[in-house]
Coordinates of all heavy atoms in Angstrom, one line a residue:
M1 N 45.9 -2.0 -37.6 CA 45.3 -3.4 -37.9 C 44.1 -3.2 -38.7 O 43.2 -2.4 -38.3 CB 45.1 -4.2 -36.6 CG 44.6 -5.6 -36.9 SD 44.4 -6.5 -35.4 CE 43.7 -8.0 -36.0
A2 N 43.9 -3.9 -39.8 CA 42.8 -3.8 -40.6 C 41.5 -4.4 -40.0 O 41.5 -5.3 -39.2 CB 43.0 -4.6 -42.0
S3 N 40.4 -3.6 -40.2 CA 39.1 -4.1 -39.7 C 38.7 -5.5 -40.4 O 39.1 -5.7 -41.5 CB 38.0 -3.2 -39.9 OG 38.2 -1.9 -39.3
P4 N 38.0 -6.4 -39.7 CA 37.5 -7.6 -40.3 C 36.5 -7.2 -41.5 O 35.9 -6.1 -41.4 CB 36.7 -8.3 -39.2 CG 37.2 -7.7 -37.9 CD 37.6 -6.3 -38.3
I5 N 36.5 -7.9 -42.5 CA 35.6 -7.7 -43.6 C 34.2 -8.2 -43.3 O 34.0 -9.4 -43.0 CB 36.1 -8.3 -44.9 CG1 37.5 -7.7 -45.3 CG2 35.1 -8.0 -46.1 CD1 38.1 -8.3 -46.6
I6 N 33.2 -7.3 -43.4 CA 31.8 -7.7 -43.0 C 31.0 -7.4 -44.2 O 31.0 -6.2 -44.8 CB 31.3 -6.8 -41.8 CG1 32.3 -6.9 -40.6 CG2 29.9 -7.2 -41.5 CD1 32.4 -8.3 -40.0
W199 N 23.9 5.7 -41.8 CA 24.9 5.0 -42.6 C 24.2 4.6 -44.0 O 22.9 4.5 -44.0 CB 25.4 3.8 -41.9 CG 26.3 4.0 -40.8 CD1 27.7 4.0 -40.8 CD2 25.9 4.4 -39.4 NE1 28.2 4.2 -39.5 CE2 27.1 4.5 -38.7 CE3 24.7 4.5 -38.7 CZ2 27.2 4.7 -37.3 CZ3 24.7 4.9 -37.5 CH2 25.9 5.0 -36.7
C200 N 25.0 4.3 -45.0 CA 24.4 3.8 -46.3 C 25.2 2.7 -46.8 O 26.4 2.6 -46.8 CB 24.6 5.0 -47.3 SG 23.8 4.6 -48.9
L202 N 26.6 0.3 -49.6 CA 26.9 0.3 -51.0 C 26.6 -1.1 -51.5 O 27.5 -1.9 -51.7 CB 28.4 0.6 -51.1 CG 28.8 2.0 -50.6 CD1 30.3 2.2 -50.7 CD2 28.1 3.1 -51.2
L227 N 29.3 8.5 -51.4 CA 30.5 8.8 -50.6 C 30.6 10.3 -50.4 O 31.1 10.7 -49.3 CB 31.8 8.3 -51.3 CG 32.0 6.7 -51.2 CD1 33.1 6.4 -52.1 CD2 32.3 6.4 -49.8
G231 N 30.4 10.2 -46.7 CA 31.7 10.0 -46.3 C 32.1 8.5 -46.1 O 31.2 7.7 -45.8
P232 N 33.3 8.1 -46.3 CA 33.7 6.7 -46.1 C 33.3 6.2 -44.7 O 33.1 5.0 -44.6 CB 35.2 6.7 -46.3 CG 35.4 7.9 -47.1 CD 34.5 9.0 -46.7
D233 N 33.3 7.0 -43.7 CA 33.1 6.6 -42.4 C 31.6 6.2 -42.1 O 31.3 5.6 -41.1 CB 33.5 7.7 -41.4 CG 32.7 9.0 -41.6 OD1 32.5 9.4 -42.8 OD2 32.3 9.6 -40.6
R234 N 30.7 6.5 -43.1 CA 29.3 6.1 -42.9 C 28.8 5.3 -44.1 O 27.6 5.2 -44.3 CB 28.4 7.4 -42.8 CG 28.7 8.2 -41.5 CD 28.1 7.7 -40.3 NE 28.6 8.4 -39.1 CZ 28.0 8.2 -37.9 NH1 27.0 7.5 -37.8 NH2 28.5 8.8 -36.9
C235 N 29.7 4.7 -44.8 CA 29.3 3.8 -45.9 C 29.8 2.4 -45.7 O 30.9 2.2 -45.0 CB 29.9 4.3 -47.3 SG 29.1 5.8 -47.9
M236 N 29.1 1.4 -46.1 CA 29.4 0.0 -45.8 C 29.2 -0.9 -47.0 O 28.2 -0.7 -47.8 CB 28.7 -0.5 -44.6 CG 27.2 -0.6 -44.6 SD 26.5 -1.2 -43.1 CE 26.6 0.3 -42.0
F237 N 30.0 -1.8 -47.1 CA 30.0 -2.9 -48.2 C 28.9 -3.9 -47.9 O 28.7 -4.4 -46.8 CB 31.3 -3.6 -48.3 CG 31.3 -5.0 -48.8 CD1 31.0 -5.3 -50.1 CD2 31.6 -6.1 -47.9 CE1 31.0 -6.6 -50.5 CE2 31.6 -7.4 -48.4 CZ 31.3 -7.6 -49.7
L261 N 35.3 2.3 -56.2 CA 35.6 3.2 -55.2 C 36.6 4.2 -55.7 O 37.5 3.8 -56.5 CB 36.1 2.5 -54.0 CG 35.1 1.7 -53.1 CD1 35.9 1.0 -52.0 CD2 34.1 2.7 -52.5
L264 N 41.0 6.1 -52.2 CA 40.8 6.2 -50.8 C 42.0 5.7 -50.0 O 42.8 4.9 -50.6 CB 39.6 5.5 -50.3 CG 38.3 5.8 -50.9 CD1 37.2 4.9 -50.4 CD2 37.9 7.2 -50.5
T265 N 42.2 6.1 -48.8 CA 43.3 5.5 -48.0 C 42.9 4.1 -47.6 O 41.8 3.7 -47.6 CB 43.5 6.4 -46.7 OG1 42.3 6.2 -45.8 CG2 43.8 7.9 -47.0
A266 N 43.9 3.3 -47.1 CA 43.7 2.0 -46.6 C 42.7 2.0 -45.5 O 41.9 1.1 -45.4 CB 45.0 1.3 -46.3
Q267 N 42.8 3.0 -44.7 CA 42.0 3.1 -43.5 C 40.5 3.3 -43.9 O 39.6 2.7 -43.3 CB 42.4 4.2 -42.6 CG 41.6 4.3 -41.3 CD 42.1 5.4 -40.3 OE1 43.1 6.1 -40.7 NE2 41.6 5.5 -39.1
Q268 N 40.3 4.2 -44.9 CA 39.0 4.4 -45.4 C 38.4 3.2 -46.1 O 37.1 2.9 -45.9 CB 39.0 5.6 -46.4 CG 39.3 7.0 -45.7 CD 39.5 8.1 -46.8 OE1 40.1 7.8 -47.8 NE2 39.0 9.3 -46.4
R269 N 39.1 2.4 -46.8 CA 38.6 1.3 -47.4 C 38.3 0.3 -46.3 O 37.2 -0.5 -46.4 CB 39.6 0.7 -48.4 CG 39.7 1.4 -49.7 CD 40.7 0.8 -50.7 NE 40.6 1.6 -52.0 CZ 39.9 1.1 -53.0 NH1 39.4 -0.1 -52.9 NH2 39.9 1.8 -54.1
D270 N 39.1 0.1 -45.3 CA 38.8 -0.8 -44.2 C 37.5 -0.4 -43.5 O 36.7 -1.3 -43.1 CB 39.9 -0.8 -43.1 CG 41.2 -1.5 -43.6 OD1 41.1 -2.3 -44.6 OD2 42.2 -1.3 -43.0
Q271 N 37.3 0.9 -43.4 CA 36.0 1.3 -42.8 C 34.8 0.9 -43.6 O 33.8 0.4 -43.1 CB 36.0 2.9 -42.7 CG 34.8 3.5 -42.0 CD 34.8 3.2 -40.5 OE1 35.7 2.8 -39.9 NE2 33.6 3.3 -39.9
I272 N 34.9 1.1 -44.9 CA 33.8 0.7 -45.8 C 33.6 -0.9 -45.8 O 32.4 -1.3 -45.8 CB 34.0 1.2 -47.2 CG1 33.9 2.7 -47.3 CG2 33.0 0.5 -48.2 CD1 34.4 3.3 -48.6
F273 N 34.7 -1.6 -45.8 CA 34.5 -3.1 -45.9 C 34.4 -3.7 -44.5 O 34.3 -5.0 -44.5 CB 35.7 -3.6 -46.7 CG 35.5 -3.5 -48.2 CD1 36.1 -2.4 -48.8 CD2 34.8 -4.4 -48.9 CE1 36.0 -2.3 -50.2 CE2 34.6 -4.3 -50.2 CZ 35.2 -3.2 -50.9
G274 N 34.2 -3.0 -43.5 CA 34.1 -3.6 -42.2 C 33.7 -2.7 -41.0 O 32.8 -2.9 -40.2
G275 N 34.5 -1.6 -40.9 CA 34.4 -0.8 -39.7 C 33.0 -0.2 -39.5 O 32.4 -0.1 -38.4
S276 N 32.4 0.3 -40.7 CA 31.1 0.9 -40.6 C 30.0 0.0 -40.1 O 29.2 0.3 -39.3 CB 30.7 1.5 -41.9 OG 31.5 2.6 -42.2
A277 N 30.0 -1.3 -40.6 CA 29.0 -2.2 -40.2 C 29.1 -2.6 -38.7 O 28.2 -2.6 -38.0 CB 29.1 -3.5 -41.0
I278 N 30.4 -2.7 -38.3 CA 30.7 -3.1 -36.8 C 30.1 -1.9 -36.0 O 29.5 -2.1 -35.0 CB 32.1 -3.3 -36.6 CG1 32.6 -4.6 -37.3 CG2 32.4 -3.4 -35.1 CD1 34.1 -4.8 -37.3
E279 N 30.4 -0.6 -36.4 CA 30.0 0.5 -35.6 C 28.5 0.7 -35.6 O 27.9 1.0 -34.5 CB 30.7 1.7 -36.1 CG 32.3 1.7 -35.8 CD 33.0 2.7 -36.5 OE1 32.4 3.7 -37.1 OE2 34.3 2.7 -36.5
A280 N 27.9 0.7 -36.8 CA 26.5 1.0 -36.9 C 25.6 0.0 -36.2 O 24.7 0.4 -35.4 CB 26.1 1.0 -38.4

Side-chain angles (χ1 to χ4, degrees):
M1 182 177 178
S3 295
I5 299 177
I6 307 294
W199 288 258
C200 184
L202 303 176
L227 283 170
D233 58 319
R234 296 282 170 164
C235 289
M236 62 182 78
F237 152 69
L261 288 173
L264 301 174
T265 67
Q267 183 177 5
Q268 289 171 326
R269 284 179 175 262
D270 286 346
Q271 183 70 17
I272 290 170
F273 279 95
S276 289
I278 293 171
E279 292 168 10

